[in-house]
Amino acid sequence: MNINNYINENKDRFLDELFELLRIESVSADPKFKHSVEDAADYLVEQFKLLELDIVEKIKTQGHPIVYAEKIIDKSFPTILVYGHYDVQPADPYELWDTPPFEPHIKNDKIYARGACDDKGQMFMHLKAYEALKNSGEINFNIKFMIEGEEECGSDNLEKFVSQSKEKLTSDVIVISDTSIISNTTPSITVGLRGLSYMEVELTGPNRDLHSGTYGGAVNNPINELCKIISSLKNEDGTINIPGFYDDIINHSSESREKINSAPFDPDHFKSHISIGSEHGELGFSTTERIGIRPTLDVNGIWGGYTGDGSKTVLPSKAFAKISMRLVPNQSSKKISKLFTEHLKALCPDSCSIKIQKHHGGEPVVVKTNTKGYSAAFEAFKEVWGKEPIPTYDGGSIPIVSHFKKELDKDSILMGFGLDEDAIHSPNESFGLFNFYKGIETITAFYLNFAKK
Ligand code: BES
Ligand code: MN
Ligand code: MN
């Protein structure tokens, strides 16, 4: 049978099976959902068993399990390693969802659910692409699937597993669908991801909350002080004010910048889809560059003092902030975290004390385009979308990709199908049905192209 006919005839079942997975609340960051994360892994194990692979295992880690499956048809065939993640970001704030995050819905030809795009929907396309090929013809490649449950909290345990399992994970190419395309009429392949340093700051003033009248004006307020520190971290021109922050960056040539800026970008759509009046960022760079090839620093959350109903006159003892920095080649997450820590310690006045903790990190990535894997992806888009895909630099991070490069010496093919308006990590996350089915088709073309060359 023809592959597209197979996909078409089974499209409703594909969706039902994905919905089953989307119903499982596999939020990796919150211990409250530990059992659901396990359930999602079990469900995937079941799904892989239906695909009649040789090995299907749930691998325990110190955190959430890794699901691994493989089918070696012939050792002389090329081997494709698929990576994805079945964990999702917390769905909070729940009240901002139009329909409950773990009750998948279709509206306007889109699937609405937490994880619909990031990454359950996209990862699942690989299972269905493999199924379609398996049931509609001969398969002339070997396949390995490694789907983890901790991507959204830094992939620490997967890193250990990869380092210890180099033999098991041997492959000719790694492919990941966990990124986005420019639009449904302009396909693209991701060739860059930013790295990440995620920090938490705790500033302490007095040893207890004080009456803001009896002490106010005479004791430093750690919230005021933290705001001052934070606002000093970025200059007027949008650059980051941490000594040494830019030291290791390799600047792009004007030729390379021109190429990056030639990717279609619609400023009106960019502004209107998130309801902002104007673009904003580092002076001298376009929005495409600010997201793709420039580092940045953002406060992700800030809290302290009294935030309940009404008022409470209090001079708080503590102030907190979570601050992340997105990094670009050749910055190192470890070094940037150290620079951040030293700089903030130096900024903290005697009237307060400061504690800084590092959460997860990840290194930036650039994907080579002169490889067999990239060509296979390029040709797949060309065949299925009737258009040449444009190489793009995405602003997000997938921490394991640089680790694959380091430990397995392989670039990853970042063949994602999401859209910016899919609202990943936000309320009302969605994934287009068009993207789901077209993605499955493109992935089958990629597998076949890779195997044939
Ligand atoms: N799939 C995203 C990363 C992504 C999104 C890349 C869109 C390119 C385009 C991934 O699940 C993610 O959210 N990663 C986290 C990093 C992690 C350490 C929490 C991120 O980028 O914030
Ligand atoms: Mn993801
Ligand atoms: Mn994510």
Side-chain angles (χ1 to χ4, degrees), residues 81-83 146 171-177 179 189-193 365-369 371 373-374 377 398-406 408-415 446:
L81 171 62
V82 177
Y83 161 80
M146 181 172 65
S171 73
D172 295 290
V173 71
I174 302 172
V175 60
I176 304 173
S177 296
T179 51
I189 301 177
T190 301
V191 295
L193 290 169
V365 165
V366 188
V367 180
K368 279 200 230 98
T369 55
T371 62
Y374 189 83
I398 306 177
I400 201 63
V401 179
S402 65
H403 199 75
F404 284 154
K405 178 77 187 172
K406 194 172 120 217
L408 306 175
D409 195 26
K410 285 256 146 15
D411 274 4
S412 299
I413 304 304
L414 301 170
M415 218 182 155
F446 168 78

Side-chain angles (χ1 to χ4, degrees), residues 312-448:
K312 180 185 180 195
T313 48
V314 67
L315 194 162
S317 166
K318 285 180 187 292
F320 303 84
K322 292 184 194 275
I323 302 175
S324 70
M325 289 158 284
R326 295 281 170 177
L327 313 176
V328 298
N330 165 53
Q331 285 178 303
S332 130
S333 169
K334 199 169 159 201
K335 181 169 170 193
I336 292 295
S337 304
K338 186 163 168 266
L339 291 177
F340 177 93
T341 305
E342 283 167 1
H343 182 59
L344 265 76
K345 282 190 174 159
L347 288 179
C348 179
D350 288 344
S351 52
C352 292
S353 62
I354 195 164
K355 257 201 236 161
I356 299 164
Q357 178 199 343
K358 183 182 180 199
H359 287 280
H360 46 243
E363 304 303 336
V365 165
V366 188
V367 180
K368 279 200 230 98
T369 55
N370 59 347
T371 62
K372 187 177 149 188
Y374 189 83
S375 307
F378 188 89
E379 295 302 324
F381 272 106
K382 232 168 89 180
E383 282 161 39
V384 177
W385 298 63
K387 270 189 183 172
E388 291 194 352
I390 292 166
T392 54
Y393 291 80
D394 281 359
S397 314
I398 306 177
I400 201 63
V401 179
S402 65
H403 199 75
F404 284 154
K405 178 77 187 172
K406 194 172 120 217
E407 295 289 298
L408 306 175
D409 195 26
K410 285 256 146 15
D411 274 4
S412 299
I413 304 304
L414 301 170
M415 218 182 155
F417 301 93
L419 296 174
D420 285 349
E421 53 263 44
D422 287 341
I424 62 173
H425 296 202
S426 301
N428 301 313
E429 176 177 352
S430 66
F431 191 45
L433 290 173
F434 170 85
N435 302 67
F436 181 62
Y437 294 116
K438 199 86 164 169
I440 295 175
E441 207 183 318
T442 315
I443 291 168
T444 60
F446 168 78
Y447 291 168
L448 293 176

Side-chain angles (χ1 to χ4, degrees), residues 85 87-89 118-119 151-152 178 397 424-425:
H85 63 94
D87 64 321
V88 298
Q89 286 272 325
D118 184 12
D119 178 41
E151 195 276 343
E152 298 293 7
D178 192 23
S397 314
I424 62 173
H425 296 202

